[in-house]
Amino acid sequence: MARRLAGTLLAVIAALGVTTTPAHASVDFTGTVKLDNCSGSVVRLPSSAPADKALVLTNGHCVELMKPGQVLVGKPVDRTFTLLGGSGAEMAKLHSAKLVYATMTGTDAALYQLDKTYQQIQQQHGGRALELSASRPVAKSEIRIVSGYWTKIYSCQLDGFVHEVKEASWTWRDSLRYTPSCNTIGGTSGSPIIDNASGKVVGVNNTGNESGGRCTMNNPCEVDAAGKITVRRGTNYGQQTFGFVSCFGPRTTLDLTLPGCQIAKP
């Protein structure tokens, strides 16, 4: 997971303009953003209105390496995001007004609220948000992991669901495991996992087992319901996002008391 935080070498290579051709015509870089150390995406809820302040999805560890049980809510933060167009070209700099939510407990996700609405982003920059799916993804479905940091798209399938992924002191539940062609690297943390058929976001990329270690930093392991541990060297993982949809009220307002909202609470 920590290796997903791009280091000096990654920054140098990125500065040289490393790009790839989108893997499939139905999914491109539309809605994705580049952070200083990670990837992310401008996302909307199924009920979001054009006048709502826009949200950016990334990983909790792209905010900071949080302690187990730590949840950040409603923290004023001015962070810069580089908005990409469909081809991967940089379109604009966007700024957050606050960190709406972030945790590394149960999941590894963060949502920032921008200082512009969805309508303003579209009118001023031609940018379009990706929609968060309200449904659980389906195993074996075709997915695309779109990294704004690298302007690279990974193509693979959802290999299955993992009861728990453990890495060092963190535990993530009901995680997504990819087939081998999604061999994500440092800097891809926070990339949206997009269902190729619907074009909707079903998860956020967050970690992978680098060297075959057992449940250690950069070497997450799988734990089944009976407690059995499995190590899959070279396998990469993401976290589902459909659970966030039931935690927002009107005008993209987070409400952790809403029925069905099961994400970690402060």
Side-chain angles (χ1 to χ4, degrees):
M1 173 270 299
R3 60 136 172 147
R4 294 290 191 266
L5 298 173
T8 302
L9 178 60
L10 299 182
V12 171
I13 298 173
L16 296 177
V18 176
T19 60
T20 68
T21 302
H24 193 281
S26 63
V27 174
D28 58 20
F29 296 100
T30 298
T32 59
V33 298
K34 175 181 178 180
L35 284 68
D36 53 357
N37 60 353
C38 286
S39 299
S41 57
V42 180
V43 296
R44 61 180 298 274
L45 304 164
S47 60
S48 292
D52 293 342
K53 291 293 178 66
L55 299 173
V56 165
L57 170 70
T58 188
N59 284 145
H61 80 255
C62 294
V63 177
E64 62 180 78
L65 291 181
M66 289 180 275
K67 298 176 182 178
Q70 184 179 5
V71 181
L72 301 176
V73 175
K75 181 180 178 181
V77 172
D78 181 4
R79 190 168 186 179
T80 301
F81 308 89
T82 303
L83 178 67
L84 304 183
S87 67
E90 297 185 0
M91 298 174 63
K93 298 292 185 182
L94 303 176
H95 296 272
S96 65
K98 66 179 177 179
L99 178 64
V100 176
Y101 181 91
T103 194
M104 292 177 66
T105 299
T107 189
D108 182 11
L111 286 161
Y112 289 87
Q113 186 180 80
L114 301 181
D115 59 5
K116 290 185 177 181
T117 66
Y118 294 109
Q119 186 173 45
Q120 287 173 327
I121 292 172
Q122 185 170 19
Q123 290 179 343
Q124 296 174 16
H125 311 299
R128 178 177 58 82
L130 300 171
E131 183 176 333
L132 283 180
S133 173
S135 303
R136 179 184 172 87
V138 178
K140 308 306 178 185
S141 57
E142 291 285 333
I143 59 169
R144 304 293 181 260
I145 300 174
V146 188
S147 171
Y149 190 91
W150 289 114
T151 52
K152 180 172 182 177
I153 299 177
Y154 297 84
S155 303
C156 62
Q157 291 183 334
L158 284 181
D159 189 45
F161 302 90
V162 183
H163 177 66
E164 289 182 348
V165 167
K166 285 186 175 291
E167 180 173 348
S169 59
W170 300 285
T171 299
W172 304 307
R173 301 181 181 88
D174 203 15
S175 302
L176 303 174
R177 182 177 60 231
Y178 320 139
T179 52
S181 55
C182 281
N183 54 341
T184 50
I185 61 171
T188 64
S189 280
S191 299
I193 304 170
I194 301 175
D195 177 79
N196 197 53
S198 68
K200 295 181 181 181
V201 176
V202 297
V204 58
N205 176 62
N206 81 307
T207 195
N209 187 294
E210 292 187 347
S211 58
R214 181 183 171 96
C215 314
T216 60
M217 181 71 81
N218 303 324
N219 289 287
C221 62
E222 300 183 9
V223 185
D224 68 14
K228 179 184 176 182
I229 293 175
T230 302
V231 174
R232 300 176 188 267
R233 182 176 181 175
T235 296
N236 294 286
Y237 303 93
Q239 305 306 313
Q240 300 190 60
T241 50
F242 76 93
F244 283 99
V245 174
S246 59
C247 298
F248 280 84
R251 305 195 65 79
T252 59
T253 301
L254 181 71
D255 186 350
L256 298 177
T257 68
L258 288 172
C261 180
Q262 300 297 320
I263 59 176
K265 299 172 177 61

